[in-house]
């Protein structure tokens, strides 16, 4: 019995020692990243952009100093295809279609299962940005909106909902 126990402790030590170099390496690697600043982090594809939660559909969401969006759906989200609509307004309430709007949809609890990747919304005749979103199963869903002006990202926002 004592032999088995000693053997077990030996195994544990062996595993710990063999994993140690990796954890030290990982720590150093992270340290290097944060020390070297923005140049490296901007080029680092592993650094995921942040999508802050937006106010509810139908509410004004500021995207810069002079514009806000109002987003929503053609119906209460349910299984099947729903159409997401994003309208961009200037501060004085005129529609602006000079932006590029992209959206990614998926289920936060099933990472990698349903993400569509960034899809461009198409501008309708009425000046609304539209995108069909396929809700393929019940559960928690998230739509992530990215807005660009002249190719540069000026806004990111997330809307989470349950189906
Ligand atoms: Cu799912």
């Amino acid at each position: 019995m004592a032999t088995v126990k000693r053997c077990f402790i030996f195994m544990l030590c062996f595993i710990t020692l063999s994993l140690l170099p990796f954890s030290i390496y990982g720590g150093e690697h992270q340290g290097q990243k944060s020390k070297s600043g923005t140049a490296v982090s901007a080029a680092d594809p592993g650094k995921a952009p942040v999508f802050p939660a937006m106010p509810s559909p139908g509410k004004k969401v500021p995207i810069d100093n002079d514009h806000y969006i109002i987003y929503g759906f053609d119906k209460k989200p349910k299984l099947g295809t729903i159409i997401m609509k994003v309208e961009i307004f200037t501060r004085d309430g005129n529609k602006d279609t000079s932006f590029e709007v992209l959206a990614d949809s998926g289920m936060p609890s099933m990472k990698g299962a349903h993400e569509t990747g960034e899809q461009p919304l198409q501008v309708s005749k009425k000046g609304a940005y539209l995108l069909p979103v396929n809700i393929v199963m019940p559960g928690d869903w998230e739509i992530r909106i990215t807005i660009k002006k002249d190719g540069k990202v000026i806004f990111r926002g997330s809307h989470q909902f349950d189906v």
Side-chain angles (χ1 to χ4, degrees), residues 107 109-110 113-114 136-138 140-141:
M107 297 183 77
S109 66
M110 297 179 70
H114 311 291
V136 295
M137 61 175 279
D140 58 315
W141 282 83

Side-chain angles (χ1 to χ4, degrees), residues 107-124:
M107 297 183 77
S109 66
M110 297 179 70
K111 286 252 169 355
H114 311 291
E115 281 89 351
T116 57
E118 283 193 337
Q119 302 292 318
L121 279 71
Q122 305 296 330
V123 181
S124 74

